[in-house]
Amino acid sequence: MTDNHARTEPLPILLLNGPNLNTLGVRQPEVYGSTTLAQIVDAAERRAADGGFGLRAAQTNHEGQMIDWIHEARGNVSGIIINPGGWTHTSVALADALVVPEVPIVEVHISNVAKREPFRHHSYVSPIAVGTIAGLGVAGYDYALQFLMEYVRRG
């Protein structure tokens, strides 16, 4: 008996990290903890694989590079998890780019931005995102990935 509804693997999830997140583990550990970005990516790759998804991860300190990666995501990923770092509060260009892929976006922040300086209270990304996780430390990445995999599965 042949199954006419062959399963196809979902497209990978894209995990993007913005400026200064390459310094996780050494930058302000009292705010961001001691976990490195490499450790976050390793854990996300394992979680994604366990959930039947691939994961592509990238970090940049260059806004144009981030925007290019987001444009290239169109048709190539199931969804995007992004920690835009400081661009959260400043970049209309990043917000404009995030609508291009037409996939669900989850915004992640390690610290609780609402408890920090007033300029950090506004996000250009949140209105585009299906959800935002902030203030839960690096566990926020795992929560975002779990949520996004289920969100994609539900269609």
Side-chain angles (χ1 to χ4, degrees):
M1 185 164 163
T2 304
D3 182 2
N4 292 330
H5 301 287
R7 285 182 174 253
T8 58
E9 292 295 315
L11 291 172
I13 290 173
L14 181 59
L15 172 59
L16 295 175
N17 282 277
N20 302 309
L21 290 162
N22 56 307
T23 65
L24 286 175
V26 296
R27 175 185 171 220
Q28 294 178 283
E30 69 280 4
V31 175
Y32 300 106
S34 60
T35 304
T36 66
L37 184 58
Q39 291 169 319
I40 291 167
V41 170
D42 287 345
E45 286 172 340
R46 286 191 305 276
R47 169 71 74 181
D50 289 347
F53 283 81
L55 184 96
R56 293 178 16 210
Q59 184 279 329
T60 186
N61 294 316
H62 304 281
E63 188 174 15
Q65 178 65 71
M66 178 71 76
I67 290 169
D68 287 344
W69 288 336
I70 293 167
H71 290 173
E72 292 164 6
R74 185 181 177 99
N76 294 308
V77 301
S78 293
I80 297 172
I81 298 168
I82 185 168
N83 183 338
W87 294 325
T88 304
H89 325 289
T90 63
S91 184
V92 173
L94 180 65
D96 287 347
L98 283 167
V99 301
V100 171
E102 297 181 340
V103 296
I105 309 288
V106 178
E107 177 184 17
V108 173
H109 297 284
I110 296 168
S111 68
N112 183 350
V113 291
K115 290 181 77 174
R116 296 187 63 195
E117 305 92 335
F119 75 86
R120 295 186 194 276
H121 297 177
H122 175 75
S123 171
Y124 285 102
V125 175
S126 291
I128 297 152
V130 295
T132 299
I133 298 172
L136 301 180
V138 297
Y141 286 97
D142 188 53
Y143 302 142
L145 185 54
Q146 289 178 59
F147 169 81
L148 190 55
M149 289 188 298
E150 184 58 31
Y151 188 92
V152 169
R153 280 189 206 103
R154 287 192 317 247

